Structures are given as structure tokens and as C-alpha cells.
């Protein structure tokens, strides 16, 4: 819609925002009217109309099999559009049109904002299945007529009340029509069922909806007065009411077709099961996060015990082996700590990589610097945990064996997300400018524990590739090529 309006019309950004507000609401008008809606806006030169939005009803058959958005029609071809635009009134006169042997009643509703008519809504009703309307259908049509008059007067939609069409109740979920005093004139079967779920034993018709709703909700002192006012439909609001056995979501729409408050529409939906599932998910999320927190604490306890044991070791080799184990346990604890702060089992690995770099750098005599380039991005927990251990082992190996004592040097960690959309991959490189690999060294056959851990985790658990080769100028280059899941943006 933005592109069509800016390309073909003279409407301002604020006018366009009003049209967006209207389109966020007009599914309701379409459903209440049992009709298709097409929004036509005059072009910049005033000689044509361009259709910028379309809506089909959920409550009846469509009048348009094709998408009308983007169509241009010259002024004069559809006289009802001209009359509605020029006179600023709803135009209903005229015989039905026949489209592919289907009779269609056409009406035009001017869209007004601050005294100006921005465009016209063509309301097209398929008459092929017309029959004697029920009480529900009559209420729908009367409510649609009131909303159409408010659109023509510029009092609907309500500024600052943009609605989430996916989350808000719709006409078919449940509808209640109130008079000017907030007394129920009509309640659809779905609406009545929702109130029975709250604990209502009688019919709603003839009862004051605000007071009835407040009586069904748990007593909350002064909040009851606010609830009475909200459920009476005096202001455009969306709210929820929770009773002993259910939860309903309500949306109040005041009706002022001629500038005077004549009543309200209340749309409502039973969201009891939805809220129950949400609470279960919140409980599960909290449980999972608590488990990660406890695992992290247990790992830190293990690391502390290993550290204490290392201090008591007389053998330098044994002490260093325990210190390496401390760092391995610590790298896993970092992942669980990050997971304990998230709502899902995915983590931002850049933070973990930086903390692993800082942890491993503690073994450096202070003459070797470490830094990270690029982004690891968001990784699943089953990738993050082994990758943190691999990173720890490779960095630890570089800092311990690549440099002579007191020698200045640097270790760079690079990360690049690549591959295809179907098979995304993460390429990690660890470069040092140290002494390089011994002659004849084969990383795939080397027997030290650190490289065995790296090979097992990368090739076995992560399903990736691992290689260790001489650097471009000097030192060593470690390459990890790992399949990952695509990031969500």
C-alpha cells in the first residue's frame, strides 16, 4: 500500500498512516457486512482511482475471485465512487451488478480524515446466497452500517488504537451489542458460551454488561469500577477478564454514527485454553532455566574442587593437567550460565567466545594478546556447548605451545557465517604468529588429549571438519567448518 499511495497519489504520510489504521480495522467491517472491501484512492491528477487494499469476508462468499490491489480505473467508469468522493456521503443507490453470473450489490463509503475525503471504500456483497436474515445477521448488518457512517464522518478508526488483527477478537469469535446505557441488546451464541465459561448461569440480554462482568470476575476492590466502565463500552479498549473457570478477551468499540453515543459493540473470545498453555510454557521455561542455572553452579563447584586439588599437587605435570580440566569445565559452565538467562535453547555465542578468550588468556604470561573478529551469531545449545570446549582446547594449545616464554605474540579468532540458506555453516579460524607446527606433524593422528577432544567434538558431535595447517607467513592456522541452523531475524 505504501508504494501504491506514494507512486500514484498526493496523500501525505499522516494520511497514509490513517489508511493503515483503517486497514488494520476493516476486517471487522467486512465480516459484519458479509462483503468484500476495496479501498480506492484518487490519483495525483484526479483522473483515475487506484485500488490500494482489499479485504474478503470470513462470514460470506467473496465477490472478487481476483486480487484487485494495484488496479487503475478512470474517473467516470464507476459513478458511485465519484459521488462518494465528491459529495462525502455513503452511496447505496443503483441496481446490482452482475459478475460472472453472480449478482453483486455495490456501495461506496467515503474515508474521511480531518474534514477531507482521502478515498472511497467499495463494499461489494455477493447476493447469490441471500435469504431471510437471522437476528445475528441483522445485528451484524446494523453494526456494519453504524461503523460505515463513522468512517464517512472521520470518527472511525480510533486514533492511537491500532489493532493486532491476529490477536484481537473477531466478530465470529463472539459479539455483543449494547445500548447507550451499556445494557445487552444482543449476544451471539459464542459470546454467551464464553460468559457461561466465566460462570454466568442466565442469559445476557437485558443485563448491564459492565456490572455482570464485574460480578463474575474475582473481587478486586477499586478495580471493579474500572472493569464496569470498560465492559460498558464507553471507550475503545481491549482487556481480559478472568473468572473462576475461564478467561475471556474483550474489545469494546463505542458506536457514534451521527456524533452521538448510541451504544457499543463488544467483541470477545474465550482464551482460557490459550492462557493455560501460555502459563505451562512459562513454567517449563522457568524450569529449564533453573536447570541450566543449577548445572552451572554444579560445574563451578567441580571446577573449584579441581582447583583446590591442583594446589595440593606436588607434580607440575599433574597440577597442569588439573588446571586444564578446570578450564574445560569452566567453558561448559559459561554456556549453561548463558542458557539460564535465555527464554529458549539458543545463545548469542559471541559473548561466550569473548569469555572463553578471557578465561584462557589467564594462562598467558601477559605477552600474548587474544582478540576476536567477525560474528559467531546465535547457535543452538547442542552446538554451543561442544564448540566452547573446542575453542578452549585450541586456544589453550596455542597459548601453551606456540610461543617461547616471554615471547610477544597474538592469537586471532575469526568467525564467518556462510553456506547456503538450506545448509548454513559456521567457519571458525584460530591464527597465531608463534613458532608453527613441528615437521611432519599430523593433527589428525596426534595423540595428545587436547587434540583428541577437538577431533571427537568437531567431527563426531558437531558433524563438521577440523584442520590444523601452517599459517600464511608464520605460526599456525586452525580451521573449523561446522554446520549450524540459520539465524532468526
Amino acid at each position: 500500500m505504501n508504494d501504491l499511495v506514494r507512486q500514484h497519489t498526493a496523500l501525505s504520510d499522516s494520511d497514509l498512516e490513517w489508511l493503515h489504521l483503517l486497514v488494520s480495522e476493516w476486517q471487522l467491517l467486512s465480516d459484519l457486512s458479509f462483503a468484500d472491501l476495496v479501498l480506492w484512492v484518487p490519483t495525483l491528477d484526479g483522473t483515475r482511482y487506484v485500488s490500494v487494499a482489499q479485504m474478503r469476508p470470513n462470514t460470506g462468499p467473496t465477490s472478487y475471485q481476483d486480487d484487485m490491489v494495484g488496479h487503475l480505473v478512470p474517473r467516470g467508469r464507476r459513478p458511485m465512487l465519484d459521488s462518494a468522493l465528491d459529495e462525502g456521503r455513503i452511496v447505496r443507490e443503483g441496481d446490482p451488478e452482475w459478475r460472472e453470473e453472480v449478482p453483486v450489490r455495490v456501495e461506496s463509503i467515503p474515508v474521511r480524515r480531518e474534514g477531507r475525503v482521502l478515498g472511497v471504500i467499495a463494499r461489494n456483497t455477493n447476493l447469490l446466497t441471500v435469504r431471510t436474515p437471522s437476528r445475528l445477521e441483522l445485528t451484524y448488518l446494523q453494526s456494519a452500517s453504524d461503523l460505515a457512517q463513522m468512517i464517512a464522518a472521520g470518527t472511525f478508526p480510533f486514533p492511537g488504537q491500532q489493532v493486532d488483527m491476529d490477536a484481537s477478537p473477531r466478530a465470529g469469535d463472539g459479539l455483543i451489542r449494547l445500548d447507550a446505557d451499556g445494557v445487552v441488546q444482543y449476544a451471539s451464541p459464542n459470546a454467551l458460551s464464553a460468559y457461561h465459561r466465566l460462570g454466568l448461569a442466565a442469559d445476557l440480554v437485558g443485563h448491564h454488561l459492565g456490572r455482570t462482568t464485574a460480578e463474575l470476575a474475582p473481587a478486586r476492590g477499586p478495580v471493579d469500577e474500572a472493569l464496569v466502565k470498560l465492559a460498558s463500552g464507553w471507550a475503545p479498549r481491549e482487556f481480559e477478564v478472568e473468572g473462576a473457570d475461564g478467561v475471556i478477551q474483550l474489545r469494546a468499540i463505542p458506536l457514534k454514527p451521527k456524533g452521538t453515543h448510541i451504544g457499543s459493540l463488544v467483541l470477545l473470545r474465550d482464551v482460557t485454553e490459550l492462557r493455560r498453555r501460555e502459563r505451562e510454557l512459562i513454567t517449563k521455561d522457568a524450569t529449564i532455566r533453573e536447570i541450566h542455572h543449577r548445572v552451572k553452579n554444579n560445574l563451578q563447584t567441580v571446577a573449584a574442587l579441581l582447583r583446590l586439588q591442583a594446589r595440593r599437587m606436588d607434580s607440575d605435570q599433574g597440577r597442569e593437567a588439573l588446571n586444564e580440566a578446570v578450564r574445560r569445565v569452566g567453558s561448559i559452565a559459561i554456556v549453561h550460565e548463558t542458557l539460564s538467562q535465555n527464554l529458549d535453547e539458543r545463545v548469542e555465542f559471541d559473548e561466550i567466545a569473548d569469555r572463553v578468550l578471557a578465561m584462557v588468556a589467564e594462562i598467558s604470561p601477559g605477552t600474548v594478546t587474544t582478540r576476536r573478529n567477525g560474528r559467531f551469531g546465535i547457535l543452538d545449545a547442542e552446538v554451543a556447548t561442544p564448540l566452547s570446549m573446542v575453542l578452549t582446547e585450541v586456544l589453550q594449545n596455542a597459548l601453551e605451545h606456540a610461543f617461547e616464554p616471554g615471547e610477544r605474540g597474538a592469537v586471532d579468532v575469526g568467525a564467518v557465517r556462510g553456506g547456503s540458506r538450506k545448509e548454513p555453516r559456521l567457519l571458525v579460524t584460530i591464527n597465531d604468529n608463534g613458532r608453527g607446527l613441528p615437521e611432519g606433524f599430523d593433527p589428525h593422528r596426534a595423540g595428545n588429549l587436547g587434540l583428541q577432544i577437538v577431533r571427537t567434538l568437531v567431527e563426531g558431535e558437531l558433524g563438521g571438519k577440523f584442520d590444523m595447517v601452517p599459517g600464511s607467513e608464520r605460526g599456525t592456522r586452525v580451521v573449523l567448518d561446522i554446520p549450524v541452523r540459520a539465524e532468526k531475524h
Side-chain angles (χ1 to χ4, degrees), residues 22-62:
L22 173 66
V23 168
S24 75
E25 294 274 19
W26 72 343
Q27 178 72 65
L28 174 61
L29 177 63
S30 177
D31 289 346
L32 293 176
S33 304
F34 309 97
D36 291 78
L37 306 178
V38 179
L39 177 58
W40 297 93
V41 180
T43 57
L44 184 62
D45 58 9
T47 62
R48 296 181 295 173
Y49 298 96
V50 57
S51 58
V52 298
Q54 179 179 0
M55 179 58 66
R56 291 183 171 90
N58 294 315
T59 51
T62 183

Side-chain angles (χ1 to χ4, degrees), residues 96-268:
E97 296 181 2
W98 287 84
R99 300 176 187 163
E100 299 179 357
E101 299 183 355
V102 175
V104 177
R105 182 174 64 241
V106 181
E107 304 166 88
S108 295
I109 305 166
V111 177
R112 192 183 302 273
R113 174 179 178 263
E114 296 180 350
R116 296 181 300 112
V117 178
L118 307 182
V120 178
I121 294 175
R123 182 164 56 177
N124 302 269
T125 306
N126 186 324
L127 300 178
L128 198 60
T129 57
V130 169
R131 54 185 173 76
T132 303
S134 65
R135 178 73 190 280
L136 180 145
E137 291 167 332
L138 288 172
T139 303
Y140 271 32
L141 293 171
Q142 179 58 53
S143 302
S145 176
D146 293 335
L147 288 177
Q149 291 183 57
M150 291 170 66
I151 291 172
T155 56
F156 187 83
F158 304 109
Q161 293 288 325
Q162 188 156 357
V163 172
D164 183 349
M165 293 174 63
D166 293 329
S168 292
R170 299 190 178 189
D173 295 326
L175 179 142
I176 297 174
R177 174 86 185 213
L178 306 180
D179 66 13
D181 296 321
V183 175
V184 177
Q185 293 179 311
Y186 174 79
S188 72
N190 284 347
L192 193 57
S193 295
Y195 265 82
H196 286 165
R197 186 75 178 264
L198 281 185
L200 180 70
D203 194 0
L204 272 172
V205 175
H207 293 273
H208 190 278
L209 185 66
R211 289 193 288 271
T212 300
T213 305
E215 289 170 2
L216 295 172
R220 296 174 183 170
V223 180
D224 287 349
E225 292 300 322
L227 182 58
V228 169
K229 193 171 183 64
L230 285 173
S232 298
W234 282 92
R237 292 288 185 273
E238 193 167 313
F239 56 99
E240 285 189 4
V241 176
E242 183 169 357
D245 299 314
V247 184
I248 59 173
Q249 180 185 16
L250 300 99
R251 183 187 174 210
I253 303 172
L255 297 176
K256 301 178 181 180
K258 296 181 180 179
T260 304
H261 181 77
I262 64 165
S264 304
L265 274 184
V266 177
L267 307 179
L268 65 151

Side-chain angles (χ1 to χ4, degrees), residues 16 23 50 56 107 166 220 329 361 400 421 430 466-467:
L16 179 57
V23 168
V50 57
R56 291 183 171 90
E107 304 166 88
D166 293 329
R220 296 174 183 170
V329 172
E400 286 184 355
R421 178 176 294 183
I430 300 98
F466 158 73
D467 203 2

Side-chain angles (χ1 to χ4, degrees), residues 251-470:
R251 183 187 174 210
I253 303 172
L255 297 176
K256 301 178 181 180
K258 296 181 180 179
T260 304
H261 181 77
I262 64 165
S264 304
L265 274 184
V266 177
L267 307 179
L268 65 151
R269 178 172 56 172
D270 184 347
V271 293
T272 306
E273 294 304 315
L274 178 63
R275 296 296 174 258
R276 182 185 62 79
R277 288 196 298 269
E278 286 177 352
R279 287 173 185 142
E280 286 180 352
L281 288 174
I282 291 171
T283 301
K284 288 178 181 177
D285 286 340
T287 302
I288 291 170
R289 290 165 69 181
E290 178 62 21
I291 289 171
H292 284 303
H293 181 71
R294 294 189 181 190
V295 170
K296 182 264 296 185
N297 287 344
N298 290 338
L299 289 171
Q300 288 180 337
T301 301
V302 171
L305 292 173
L306 290 172
R307 200 175 290 114
L308 284 172
Q309 187 65 39
R311 292 188 187 129
R312 296 174 178 269
M313 292 288 292
D314 295 328
S315 166
D316 291 340
Q317 187 176 3
R319 186 183 305 110
E320 183 54 36
L322 287 175
N323 285 331
E324 287 181 3
V326 167
R327 286 187 286 273
R328 288 167 185 149
V329 172
S331 67
I332 302 174
I334 290 172
V335 176
H336 282 282
E337 182 179 5
T338 306
L339 287 168
S340 71
Q341 299 168 0
N342 290 350
L343 293 177
D344 57 20
E345 290 291 289
R346 309 195 79 193
V347 295
E348 177 62 67
F349 196 81
D350 295 323
E351 177 188 348
I352 293 173
D354 292 339
R355 293 180 64 180
V356 167
L357 277 167
M359 178 183 66
V360 176
E362 293 177 0
I363 69 172
S364 170
T367 55
V368 178
T369 59
T370 59
R371 57 178 174 261
R372 172 178 63 86
N373 300 304
R375 284 188 66 248
F376 287 85
I378 298 173
L379 300 177
D380 292 333
E382 56 264 30
V383 174
T385 301
L387 182 57
S388 68
M389 285 196 67
V390 169
L391 197 57
T392 301
E393 294 298 329
V394 174
L395 289 169
Q396 189 169 279
N397 186 69
L399 292 173
E400 286 184 355
H401 304 297
F403 305 98
E404 298 287 348
E407 181 183 1
R408 293 186 176 277
V411 178
D412 293 332
V413 176
V416 178
R417 299 292 286 253
S420 64
R421 178 176 294 183
K422 290 185 178 179
E423 297 181 356
R425 301 188 74 85
L426 172 65
L427 183 66
V428 181
T429 57
I430 300 98
N431 295 291
D432 68 66
N433 58 358
R435 71 184 74 175
L437 297 172
E439 187 175 347
F441 178 81
D442 184 356
H444 299 285
R445 295 183 179 274
N448 74 68
L449 179 61
L451 286 180
Q452 288 181 20
I453 290 174
V454 170
R455 286 198 302 268
T456 301
L457 291 177
V458 173
E459 297 172 358
E461 190 161 342
L462 294 174
K465 300 175 183 177
F466 158 73
D467 203 2
M468 181 181 285
V469 297

